[in-house]
Amino acid sequence: MRLSIIHCALALSLASLGSASSRDKRYQYLTVTHTVTGATTEPTPWKWDVNATTSFPIHESCNATETRLLQRGLDEAVALAKHAKEYILRYGNSSDIYTKYFGTAGTGEAIGWLDKLVSGDRGNSLFRCDNIDGNCDQAGWGGHWRGSNATGETVICPLSYTTRKPLDGLCGYGYTVISGALNFYFASDLIHRLYHVPQFGEGIVEHYADSYEDCLELALSDPALSVRNTHTLQYFALEVYAYDISVPGTGCLGEPASSPKPNQTTASATDTNSTPTSSAATVSRSLFVCYKALRSTC
Ligand SMILES: *[C@@H]1O[C@H](CO)[C@@H](O)[C@H](O)[C@H]1NC(C)=O
Ligand SMILES: *[C@@H]1O[C@H](CO)[C@@H](O)[C@H](O)[C@H]1NC(C)=O
Ligand SMILES: *[C@@H]1O[C@H](CO)[C@@H](O)[C@H](O)[C@H]1NC(C)=O
Ligand SMILES: *[C@@H]1O[C@H](CO)[C@@H](O)[C@H](O)[C@H]1NC(C)=O
Ligand SMILES: *[C@@H]1O[C@H](CO)[C@@H](O)[C@H](O)[C@H]1NC(C)=O
């Protein structure tokens, strides 16, 4: 019955197209009467993200102080990853810092891996403080991924709470991106630990190159792998945060330990008259070219 009325209305509507005089008739069957009888129970609205875990679970084995310091470190890790993501969203591969670390790789994957830390569900991860595998007894251990003992779990040892620096101290304490340790700041240390957890790194973000120099090399030799390299993502995040937020417009990149002087490189042998410019972008670009040259000629 209802169907036939709709058909009728449609037929009338088509028949009257273009005819101004009968235009009003097109709508004569569209009156709808909705009778509400008594109190109705509205159906429960669909909640697509039911049971989502939006904060990092911290185990009860962490005491009050550890919990607060760890929570702060995780918040800082998210802030560090978030800025790196937003930097790529803003500048893409037009940034020399981007191409230095990721070569010709498209931007979507690095954005995605960083966003996993910023916006991803945290329900299959757990941070604990109870030295359950006994690894914290080893000198110098700040923590560890539990691996096959519990892939979603990370132990943070007491050493971390007394040594890892706050993100607000980035560029302080004599730290530079090139020569500083990636675990100097709790934020960058925790980015590393988070990528070991399958929920964030998916077994794809891994260790493919470790030192600063090796990370730059990877950008040239295998850009597709560079966007999945844990240390590359850490170096990149630290460099752009330092430059944009910690010491605006300056940062604290530092000097490459093995950086050849322009007059000492094979690469510059054919170009001895070139004078170095002071532009940060040019310096960054020439570093990129320099490492390329090292790779193929030295
Ligand atoms: C949410 O959690 C409740 C309680 O644990 C459970 O009964 C329910 O199945 C969960 N729903 C989804 C969609 O995970
Ligand atoms: C930058 O990305 C564009 C596409 O947006 C691409 O055409 C270009 O080759 C890329 N440049 C580099 C250096 O990767
Ligand atoms: C797993 O637990 C055993 C002891 O139960 C320990 O020897 C081993 O180091 C642990 N694995 C990791 C990755 O911590
Ligand atoms: C919490 O644990 C740390 C070690 O990580 C320890 O130094 C501190 O005394 C503990 N705090 C309390 C209140 O037990
Ligand atoms: C290279 O340049 C530096 C200054 O930048 C200078 O001190 C050094 O003597 C030069 N070395 C050679 C071999 O020309």
Side-chain angles (χ1 to χ4, degrees), residues 94-282:
S94 71
S95 152
D96 285 324
I97 303 178
Y98 181 88
T99 53
K100 183 177 79 169
Y101 288 106
F102 303 115
T104 56
T107 59
E109 203 172 329
I111 290 168
W113 290 123
L114 291 163
D115 201 30
K116 294 270 295 189
L117 307 186
V118 178
S119 319
D121 195 89
R122 286 107 189 230
N124 294 319
S125 69
L126 180 67
F127 282 87
R128 56 194 305 155
C129 303
D130 54 0
N131 191 20
I132 187 168
D133 295 325
N135 288 324
C136 293
D137 300 335
Q138 301 174 69
W141 279 54
H144 66 95
W145 175 53
R146 294 198 63 206
S148 54
N149 289 344
T151 57
E153 298 191 7
T154 305
V155 173
I156 302 297
C157 306
L159 182 72
S160 281
Y161 303 105
T162 55
T163 56
R164 302 300 189 251
K165 300 287 187 279
L167 186 57
D168 279 345
L170 184 53
C171 293
Y173 317 101
Y175 166 92
T176 64
V177 175
I178 288 177
S179 48
L182 285 171
N183 64 6
F184 191 75
Y185 295 97
F186 214 178
S188 50
D189 181 34
L190 288 169
I191 284 181
H192 174 200
R193 299 197 186 287
L194 287 166
Y195 280 133
H196 276 304
V197 174
Q199 186 166 33
F200 306 109
E202 299 183 20
I204 294 170
V205 178
E206 268 293 346
H207 291 271
Y208 304 108
D210 285 343
S211 72
Y212 176 80
E213 286 79 8
D214 288 350
C215 286
L216 301 200
E217 257 184 48
L218 187 65
L220 296 164
S221 63
D222 198 339
L225 222 45
S226 72
V227 293
R228 302 173 170 189
N229 187 41
T230 302
H231 283 196
T232 300
L233 290 163
Q234 288 174 278
Y235 276 121
F236 173 76
L238 285 161
E239 183 170 342
V240 297
Y241 197 97
Y243 191 88
D244 290 338
I245 292 165
S246 304
V247 186
T250 303
C252 50
L253 182 60
E255 297 291 329
S258 56
S259 171
K261 291 280 185 291
N263 63 354
Q264 296 168 330
T265 59
T266 325
S268 64
T270 55
D271 192 20
T272 45
N273 291 329
S274 71
T275 48
T277 82
S278 58
S279 142
T282 309

Side-chain angles (χ1 to χ4, degrees), residues 52-105:
T53 305
T54 54
S55 55
F56 293 100
I58 297 178
H59 192 248
E60 60 195 15
S61 60
C62 301
N63 70 28
T65 309
E66 290 169 331
T67 300
R68 287 178 66 84
L69 289 173
L70 186 49
Q71 187 59 65
R72 188 176 74 180
L74 288 164
D75 289 347
E76 291 174 351
V78 168
L80 186 57
K82 185 167 187 278
H83 179 70
K85 178 191 80 164
E86 287 171 354
Y87 179 95
I88 303 176
L89 287 169
R90 166 66 182 87
Y91 294 107
N93 74 2
S94 71
S95 152
D96 285 324
I97 303 178
Y98 181 88
T99 53
K100 183 177 79 169
Y101 288 106
F102 303 115
T104 56

